[in-house]
Amino acid sequence: MKKFFFVSLLIPTLFSCSVNQHTLQKKYADLLTEESAKSHLTILASKEFAGRGTGQEGGKKTVEYIAKVFQELGLKPAVNGSYYQPVNLVKSSYVVEQFNLNNQTLVNAKDFYVTGSNAFRNFNASEIVFVGYGINTPSYSDYAGQNLAGKVVLVINEGEPMDASGNSLITGTSTLSDWSTSRSKRLQEVMKQNPALILSANSQAAEMIKRFGSRMTSGSYRLKSSDKETTNNSTAAPVVNITEATANQILAANNTSISKFKQTVSSTKKPNSSVLKASLNASMGSKKENLFDPNVLGVIEGTDLKDEVLIISGHYDHDGVLPDGTFFPGADDNGSGTVGVMEVAKAFAAAKKAGRGPRRTILFMAFAAEEKGLLGSDFYSQNPVFPLANTVACLNMDMIGRIDNKHLEGNHNYIHAIGSEMLSSELKAINEKANQDFTQMELDYMYDDPKDPMRIYYRSDQYNLAKHNIPVIFYFSGLHPDYHTPNDTVDKINFPMMAKREKLVFHTAWEIANRDKKLVVDKTPPPASGR
């Protein structure tokens, strides 16, 4: 009877503690409001912040804004007294300063686009060698009698010669040869002849330029491997992809066109290469630029378990402004996740100030250059400020502000919680319990399917922590028609859902940061092949 009496007294006490914890968490979670989220996001997605582009002025303003918010909240700088961890980047761009064809000025990404990595140089020619389809076989060769070394070469980079019956002159049947099925094959053949420059004409060039435009001039980015790395420019000829209309302007010098050329070859069953009188003057080549866009890090130090670290993250960069002036606000991608990091930081900072700080240290991190290949998180994983062995989890927010195509006509009260059980048998349960107790959303796990064709789990920053066996959740509201377009604007954000999603991250983080034992890592993740 005494034992029963003791337990009966204890149960109300435990229930009271549970209620108090619930009330306490909700008190701080309620600081995450629609109004606050909208205030931050309206600024970050404004023209003043210019799409938060890597290496651009808008990116610089963004990191200053985030650091200021962290400072005002009382978060400690994490990197030797600074909120910034510079990420050593190299930007490689193909720059076309001049391209003049037959006294007509053409513009890269408007009239043509270039692929190449040659050193910057001048190209001057008074004639262009036209090699038709650029095919070279024992029975049919567009190169017979032509010397291409050091010349400007025009090639039709698609199709192959056909006779009047629709049979290939290469295979002798209606089945096309690998000269048609492999577009790179004929370019490789032209390269063997050591030309100075290749003009590659195909019917898809105009559509490519229309669809991607200035994006094709934005360059590529990578992490810098060392301060002593050398520039390895290619000696291969650059390939200038031109439209059929531009090719026909060149061919007009011989009173022909692509269609007339094809008809001639079809009727004669012979190659019809020629030398065209044409002027070409160009100055172009590959240039490299060192960039140091930083990750932004702010810390709330833990108490008795402060050596263990929870990361709450989101990338701040987006597509910025293109050379033609196109502006990408990136309100959802990833202005929403960036705001989420700052808002969750606000709630934990308020708890810390009131003497309710987390037991484990929480690192709030806004990653750089995610859009360029997850480079900011990759850099952090190689140069961690806190030991990765002591990092217990990463909760990453990337696009948490919209309703995706899947849920548009159905339930809007949802979030994709990606990767929660990839490495830990406990993390998914913690997230589900937090959702059950506080936010009551549909937790969509569709992207956890190993056969997911989009490979979403591998496409945001948390993956660079998961590679080091750190349990992660990627919070994601899903894809929508405005993804990576100038139409990803603040007016389309669902702020009630955005705030609710932030609260789920907060409640999940609260449990992870305050539980007695760190999360177990007891699962083997799926292979990353196909990323």
Side-chain angles (χ1 to χ4, degrees):
M1 290 295 293
K2 290 183 179 180
K3 183 177 181 180
F4 174 81
F5 179 71
F6 174 76
V7 171
S8 66
L9 289 176
L10 184 60
I11 288 175
T13 303
L14 292 174
F15 179 75
S16 175
C17 290
S18 176
V19 170
N20 287 340
Q21 276 294 318
H22 188 285
T23 303
L24 185 66
Q25 285 191 50
K26 189 175 184 305
K27 170 185 175 182
Y28 296 114
D30 285 345
L31 297 175
L32 310 181
T33 65
E34 300 169 32
E35 294 75 18
S36 181
K38 187 173 185 178
S39 176
H40 281 308
L41 190 53
T42 300
I43 293 170
L44 291 180
S46 68
K47 284 194 173 182
E48 181 184 355
F49 282 69
R52 308 183 304 280
T54 299
Q56 297 184 0
E57 189 62 28
K60 181 180 177 181
K61 287 185 176 182
T62 303
V63 299
E64 291 172 349
Y65 183 90
I66 299 167
K68 183 180 179 183
V69 170
F70 283 176
Q71 184 179 37
E72 290 173 347
L73 291 175
L75 273 62
K76 293 182 178 180
V79 190
N80 299 320
S82 172
Y83 292 102
Y84 302 141
Q85 181 191 39
V87 178
N88 300 325
L89 300 170
V90 177
K91 177 184 178 182
S92 298
S93 306
Y94 199 91
V95 178
V96 180
E97 291 187 353
Q98 176 195 10
F99 196 93
N100 191 292
L101 181 62
N102 288 335
N103 298 317
Q104 179 182 359
T105 298
L106 304 183
V107 179
N108 189 19
K110 180 179 179 182
D111 303 304
F112 64 90
Y113 64 96
V114 187
T115 54
S117 57
N118 60 286
F120 196 90
R121 55 168 290 198
N122 296 322
F123 299 85
N124 298 287
S126 57
E127 63 181 26
I128 294 174
V129 182
F130 175 51
V131 293
Y133 291 104
I135 292 173
N136 190 18
T137 69
S139 60
Y140 179 100
S141 176
D142 287 304
Y143 300 94
Q146 301 290 354
N147 177 16
L148 306 186
K151 304 290 183 65
V152 175
V153 177
L154 170 62
V155 62
I156 303 171
N157 191 14
E158 61 186 355
E160 61 188 76
M162 311 292 288
D163 65 19
S165 299
N167 291 322
S168 165
L169 297 185
I170 310 301
T171 66
T173 70
S174 60
T175 301
L176 297 177
S177 72
D178 59 356
W179 291 93
S180 287
T181 55
S182 174
R183 180 166 288 179
S184 63
K185 182 178 177 68
R186 73 192 73 215
L187 289 179
Q188 291 169 357
E189 189 64 35
V190 180
M191 291 286 187
K192 291 178 185 178
Q193 316 301 319
N194 297 314
L197 183 147
I198 301 170
L199 300 173
S200 172
N202 70 80
S203 59
Q204 303 300 314
E207 180 61 24
M208 286 286 291
I209 294 168
K210 180 180 178 181
R211 286 185 62 190
F212 299 106
S214 290
R215 281 181 182 269
M216 294 186 288
T217 68
S218 59
S220 62
Y221 298 74
R222 61 178 174 82
L223 293 181
K224 188 175 182 180
S225 57
S226 73
D227 291 333
K228 296 182 179 180
E229 66 175 34
T230 58
T231 299
N232 295 314
N233 287 315
S234 171
T235 58
V239 177
V240 180
N241 298 275
I242 62 174
T243 65
E244 289 184 320
T246 299
N248 285 334
Q249 290 174 7
I250 299 170
L251 292 168
N254 277 16
N255 297 314
T256 188
S257 65
I258 290 177
S259 62
K260 287 181 180 179
F261 163 80
K262 291 180 178 180
Q263 291 169 8
T264 299
V265 173
S266 178
S267 61
T268 65
K269 298 183 181 180
K270 294 180 180 180
N272 189 28
S273 299
S274 59
V275 177
L276 308 168
K277 184 176 181 180
S279 65
L280 186 144
N281 304 101
S283 300
M284 59 191 193
S286 181
K287 290 188 175 181
K288 289 181 171 58
E289 177 184 3
N290 292 326
L291 302 174
F292 301 95
D293 287 34
N295 295 324
V296 189
L297 288 69
V299 172
I300 293 179
E301 191 174 63
T303 54
D304 60 313
L305 298 173
K306 67 180 181 181
D307 289 339
E308 296 178 7
V309 179
L310 167 64
I311 294 175
I312 297 177
S313 63
H315 74 90
Y316 66 80
D317 65 302
H318 193 54
D319 288 342
V321 178
L322 298 183
D324 65 1
T326 302
F327 159 58
F328 293 82
D332 191 30
D333 186 13
N334 183 35
S336 62
T338 304
V339 170
V341 172
M342 294 187 291
E343 287 289 275
V344 175
K346 176 177 67 177
F348 275 105
K352 176 76 171 179
K353 187 175 181 180
R356 299 285 188 173
R359 298 176 68 188
R360 290 177 175 85
T361 295
I362 303 181
L363 171 61
F364 295 91
M365 184 152 44
F367 288 118
E370 188 268 359
E371 303 290 4
K372 309 306 181 186
L374 315 186
L375 298 182
S377 55
D378 190 9
F379 185 83
Y380 181 84
S381 73
Q382 295 181 41
N383 304 274
V385 175
F386 296 92
L388 295 183
N390 292 351
T391 303
V392 300
C394 172
L395 305 181
N396 186 58
M397 290 171 275
D398 190 349
M399 298 173 60
I400 60 168
R402 293 281 294 267
I403 306 301
D404 66 6
N405 297 332
K406 175 182 178 180
H407 296 85
L408 197 59
E409 301 300 326
N411 177 32
H412 290 191
N413 186 40
Y414 77 95
I415 186 66
H416 296 281
I418 305 169
S420 61
E421 60 177 352
M422 293 290 191
L423 290 165
S424 173
S425 60
E426 296 177 339
L427 183 54
K428 182 178 182 180
I430 290 172
N431 192 57
E432 288 184 338
K433 182 68 162 57
N435 182 58
Q436 176 186 330
D437 289 349
F438 297 100
T439 50
Q440 293 92 45
M441 290 184 284
E442 171 197 345
L443 299 180
D444 194 325
Y445 297 113
M446 65 177 284
Y447 292 118
D448 280 348
D449 185 345
K451 296 180 181 179
D452 168 31
M454 301 295 292
R455 308 289 287 172
I456 295 292
Y457 172 70
Y458 305 94
R459 289 172 51 184
S460 193
D461 289 304
Q462 83 293 324
Y463 179 64
N464 279 324
L465 282 304
K467 285 193 302 186
H468 294 273
N469 288 322
I470 296 169
V472 302
I473 301 179
F474 169 15
Y475 295 92
F476 179 55
S477 57
L479 300 173
H480 49 75
D482 300 320
Y483 174 68
H484 277 263
T485 75
N487 300 317
D488 183 7
T489 51
V490 171
D491 59 296
K492 296 174 183 175
I493 296 295
N494 186 321
F495 284 103
M497 282 310 306
M498 180 175 161
K500 181 178 277 194
R501 291 159 180 162
E502 293 169 355
K503 290 178 180 180
L504 176 59
V505 176
F506 168 79
H507 290 298
T508 300
W510 183 283
E511 170 61 22
I512 295 170
N514 290 296
R515 68 201 311 260
D516 290 334
K517 294 183 179 181
K518 66 185 292 187
L519 289 173
V520 298
V521 181
D522 56 357
K523 291 197 171 188
T524 302
S529 60
R531 178 172 174 252

